[in-house]
Amino acid sequence: MKIARFFALIGILVLAFWTGCSKKPSTELIEAPQPINKFENPKLRKIYDLADRREVDSLLPYLDDSIGGIRVAAAIVFGSVQDVKAGPKLESMLSDENPDVVVAAAWAIGQLGDSTYCGHLLEAMQHSGGDRQCAIGEALGKAGSNAQLADAMDKYTMGTLPSGTGLALTRCVYRAGLRKRVPAGAQALALSTLEVIDAEAQLYAAAFLGRVAESGPIAAPDQLLKPMQQIENDDVRQLLVRAFARCADTACTAELRKIAMDTSETPMTRVNAFRGAGMVHDLLPQAMAAVHDASEQVSVAAAEYIDLRHAGNSAEIEDLSRKISSWRTRALLLKTAIREAVAVNPASVKTVTQYVDSLLAKANLYEQGALYTALATDKSQHARLMEITVANKPILSIYAFEAYLDYYKTPMRDNRPLIHDIEQAMATGDPGLIAMGAEYISNAELPLISQITRTAFLDSAIGKLHLPEDIEAHNAVLKAQAKLNGNEYVPAKLGFQHPIDWSLVQRIPSEQTAEIMTSRGKIVLQLKVNDAPGTVANFVELVQSGFYKAKKFHRIVPAFVAQGGCPRGDGWGSSPQTIRSEWAPLRYFAGAVGMASAGKDTESCQWFITHCSVPHLDGTCQASRRVRAAST
């Protein structure tokens, strides 16, 4: 599913429940009715309910159930509960005669994230194959220690692992790489896996090479050029192209230039070509042309690249911005134009800012926010931005304050005025402003900490927040307080306050869909009630209450997600209750839907749709709630 921009939600879910059937003659053979979903089984309902309540001691016995499907369900829910009490039993389940139980146990061990229970993973991988082997390898990558990961790579290098282990190990090193743990030989394994004619194996190899910076540079350009020219799978290509940032060879530059401008490539691959170029490859001519691209995602990515490179002169970029139809792209170009004017030709700053003011007069809220982000590059505009911030204007205050803070995140800039301004923003009581101010204070890279001599404003700010809705801001303040007081940060955890409505769950068919009507057409979601009953029930409850009427897709990140469902429209809103995290061994390919989250057990009402494969989200139901890159 391709979504090029955010749209207003104007439709609601249509529930297609059915309640009966016509009567048949008594002489006819009557087939038994099919279950609506798996939770007609009372034991499965009990397992998921105990998991929802986090009643670990009552849940543990189900791992020993005589029925394999029950053992599978119990293991999977421990992947969400994540209590190490289950570790020893899960480890012993790796030798279960039921292969599905082994896969589920391995998944849960990986979710625990504790290397204590990874001791038997490598042995189990050596005696397994197919899905079991891959699940075990991924678990080792998620939770294994450096020594355990090194042992796995050593055995692979020495040829003591069974044939076919390459895919399992590729998934292992990818998951380990996301934790910034890269065993020796991992990059060589990923590069060799690209040569395997297996799209799944190539996907994880490409994801490792494109995302794990700690894997180091790639010296031989052909190791990337050859697979990029041979692999046809679009999901693999959009991940692999980002790996070109690891090879500064001119041949890689030429390939990126070609891909960036090739309209036969998917927009996701072209977006990631600019990201893969970064500061390593010069794609400025291509970027200057691509801002006019028919795909807004490509256009935005090209403008982001221009801004990264601080390219061109102010007048040239301002002139380019006047020819752009996408307001997101235009605002990014104006940000660059103002920055360049301030740095090189201060006399021309007024010309650009006057043009921005003319656009503000007729822009929607999101475009205004993007234009305030552009103005923030001129320090003389900061008083204006703070006026908007403390006025507590919906959506605009968030943009203005975030843009203002971003300016001062460059260490070379004078940050002396910040303390008073941060206090003022947090005094408004707005949870988004409080969270951003507190997060800025917590940033150890900034010299701000030594300038703070009193902390009463933090105590006052946290007193204005309400749980559970404002849990993200609440924890941000706790972290700032810990930073200033030299204490260890301990986040607050929400208590159990919204149990699963099982009567509702039992009325939702396993293939239930939701239809969302937008200004660009209809989006159809499939609700995976068998995998996440609490999440689906919460979504349906919100739909039935009319919660999602007239909401916006407030956030888009090219080649990542489109996110909506925020009642504030700026990413900092929540519904009155939060639900438990429900993580399942599912994959995030293009068009997958998940819940936005501010941490474990904080999911509420915001959700996202992926533009392409994003394997770093696999096995979770969450992406950040952040407001960055918002749009209508």
Side-chain angles (χ1 to χ4, degrees):
M1 182 185 301
K2 174 184 170 185
I3 300 178
R5 62 176 65 193
F6 290 115
F7 321 110
L9 289 177
I10 59 173
I12 62 172
L13 176 67
V14 178
L15 297 176
F17 298 137
W18 50 269
T19 57
C21 58
S22 59
K23 214 171 184 181
K24 295 188 178 183
S26 59
T27 55
E28 247 181 65
L29 178 64
I30 300 176
E31 295 183 0
Q34 294 299 308
I36 287 180
N37 61 51
K38 73 179 186 181
F39 295 108
E40 288 191 8
N41 183 320
K43 190 175 281 190
L44 289 176
R45 283 201 308 277
K46 185 65 175 178
I47 287 171
Y48 277 77
D49 191 60
L50 290 171
D52 187 49
R53 297 173 185 277
R54 302 302 192 239
E55 295 182 9
V56 175
D57 292 337
S58 298
L59 188 57
L60 283 169
Y62 289 97
L63 293 173
D64 286 313
D65 197 273
S66 60
I67 299 174
I70 298 299
R71 299 198 299 279
V72 168
I76 286 175
V77 298
F78 267 112
S80 298
V81 176
Q82 295 178 314
D83 193 299
V84 294
K85 284 184 180 179
K89 183 58 188 175
L90 291 169
E91 197 173 17
S92 70
M93 291 168 73
L94 293 173
S95 59
D96 197 285
E97 61 183 18
N98 185 322
D100 293 336
V101 172
V102 175
V103 169
W107 145 258
I109 289 172
Q111 292 291 101
L112 291 181
D114 190 332
S115 63
T116 304
Y117 308 105
C118 296
H120 295 300
L121 285 174
L122 185 55
E123 179 185 354
M125 186 170 15
Q126 291 176 272
H127 296 92
S128 301
D131 290 342
R132 281 181 298 169
Q133 193 177 72
C134 288
I136 293 166
E138 194 160 335
L140 184 61
K142 284 182 177 182
S145 66
N146 289 334
Q148 290 165 339
L149 294 167
D151 188 28
M153 286 303 303
D154 287 344
K155 284 184 168 57
Y156 176 75
T157 303
M158 292 185 294
T160 57
L161 292 181
S163 60
T165 312
L167 174 56
L169 270 184
T170 301
R171 284 167 63 165
C172 171
V173 298
Y174 172 59
R175 281 292 174 182
L178 294 179
R179 297 189 292 136
K180 302 186 185 303
R181 300 188 180 198
V182 182
Q187 186 182 97
L189 170 66
L191 288 168
S192 65
T193 302
L194 292 176
E195 301 174 6
V196 177
I197 305 181
D198 182 314
E200 185 177 10
Q202 291 173 339
L203 182 84
Y204 289 100
F208 173 85
L209 295 167
R211 188 174 180 89
V212 181
E214 290 74 16
S215 63
I218 298 172
D222 279 349
Q223 291 181 302
L224 291 176
L225 292 170
K226 184 177 178 182
M228 197 70 210
Q229 291 163 1
Q230 293 179 343
I231 292 172
E232 296 181 356
N233 183 283
D234 289 331
D235 263 345
V236 177
R237 292 179 65 79
Q238 61 93 10
L239 290 167
L240 181 59
V241 73
R242 294 190 69 162
F244 280 65
R246 309 206 189 291
C247 181
D249 193 275
T250 55
C252 289
T253 304
E255 183 70 8
L256 282 178
R257 288 173 175 171
K258 182 182 74 173
I259 291 170
M261 301 309 294
D262 186 351
T263 55
S264 68
E265 296 277 3
T266 66
M268 306 306 112
T269 302
R270 298 175 64 203
V271 165
N272 283 334
F274 285 113
R275 291 176 179 165
M279 295 299 291
V280 178
H281 304 283
D282 182 6
L283 267 64
L284 282 174
Q286 289 73 29
M288 297 291 275
V291 293
H292 300 285
D293 199 87
S295 166
E296 188 181 36
Q297 295 206 41
V298 174
S299 174
V300 168
E304 289 173 340
Y305 177 82
I306 293 169
D307 187 58
L308 174 71
R309 303 287 295 216
H310 296 187
N313 62 63
S314 176
E316 177 187 17
I317 298 175
E318 182 199 348
D319 182 63
L320 181 61
S321 74
R322 292 175 181 269
K323 302 172 183 176
I324 300 298
S325 59
S326 163
W327 61 258
R328 291 188 67 202
T329 304
R330 180 168 59 238
L332 283 164
L333 291 173
L334 288 168
K335 177 184 175 184
T336 308
I338 294 173
R339 181 195 292 111
E340 293 303 294
V342 168
V344 179
N345 185 14
S348 67
V349 174
K350 188 175 181 179
T351 301
V352 189
T353 56
Q354 284 178 336
Y355 174 47
V356 172
D357 283 335
S358 71
L359 294 171
L360 282 167
K362 54 188 176 183
N364 65 53
L365 286 176
Y366 293 100
E367 182 177 1
Q368 288 180 53
L371 291 169
Y372 287 137
T373 300
L375 289 174
T377 57
D378 175 15
K379 193 174 180 180
S380 70
Q381 296 284 335
H382 288 188
R384 177 183 182 184
L385 294 179
M386 284 307 302
E387 287 178 6
I388 296 166
T389 297
V390 299
N392 218 358
K393 296 182 178 181
I395 299 174
L396 296 183
S397 290
I398 292 294
Y399 269 100
F401 192 47
E402 184 171 37
Y404 173 74
L405 291 178
D406 279 349
Y407 175 90
Y408 290 104
K409 287 179 181 177
T410 301
M412 297 294 291
R413 287 177 171 148
D414 176 14
N415 63 6
R416 284 173 294 179
L418 275 175
I419 301 301
H420 173 69
D421 291 340
I422 288 176
E423 288 186 18
Q424 277 195 311
M426 296 179 71
T428 64
D430 181 273
L433 300 179
I434 289 173
M436 287 191 289
E439 287 174 354
Y440 187 89
I441 291 169
S442 299
N443 191 334
E445 299 297 320
L446 303 173
L448 185 67
I449 301 299
S450 62
Q451 301 176 28
I452 299 177
T453 58
R454 63 183 191 276
T455 61
F457 73 98
L458 291 174
D459 301 330
S460 176
I462 206 167
K464 296 176 181 178
L465 299 173
H466 303 281
L467 295 179
E469 297 100 312
D470 301 332
I471 182 62
E472 185 170 10
H474 185 92
N475 281 338
V477 177
L478 290 182
K479 189 173 183 180
Q481 289 174 323
K483 179 75 176 180
L484 292 173
N485 295 325
N487 299 328
E488 181 182 355
Y489 163 58
V490 180
K493 296 188 182 298
L494 296 173
F496 181 61
Q497 32 92 27
H498 189 63
I500 296 173
D501 182 346
W502 288 108
S503 64
L504 175 57
V505 168
Q506 288 180 274
R507 301 196 306 272
I508 302 175
S510 58
E511 300 299 318
Q512 179 66 58
T513 58
E515 294 184 355
I516 301 169
M517 298 305 299
T518 79
S519 60
R520 288 295 188 90
K522 181 169 67 176
I523 299 173
V524 180
L525 310 180
Q526 182 177 5
L527 307 182
K528 290 187 172 291
V529 65
N530 284 338
D531 296 294
T535 303
V536 169
N538 179 67
F539 179 76
V540 172
E541 287 172 5
L542 291 171
V543 167
Q544 291 176 330
S545 72
F547 181 88
Y548 288 118
K549 287 183 179 179
K551 295 296 187 292
K552 304 285 187 181
F553 277 88
H554 63 272
R555 179 189 187 218
I556 186 169
V557 182
F560 183 38
V561 298
Q563 188 168 319
C566 174
R568 289 168 43 119
D570 61 11
W572 291 100
S574 178
S575 62
Q577 70 277 333
T578 55
I579 58 175
R580 300 294 201 183
S581 297
E582 289 183 305
W583 295 318
L586 301 175
R587 303 291 174 193
Y588 275 86
F589 296 106
V593 180
M595 295 298 294
S597 175
K600 182 172 163 55
D601 295 339
T602 65
E603 290 81 4
S604 173
C605 57
Q606 293 188 43
W607 48 273
F608 61 88
I609 305 172
T610 58
H611 295 143
C612 51
S613 284
V614 282
H616 67 280
L617 293 183
D618 286 355
T620 75
C621 289
Q622 59 181 307
S624 166
R625 282 187 187 170
R626 283 288 174 259
V627 67
R628 288 186 182 278
S631 177
T632 53

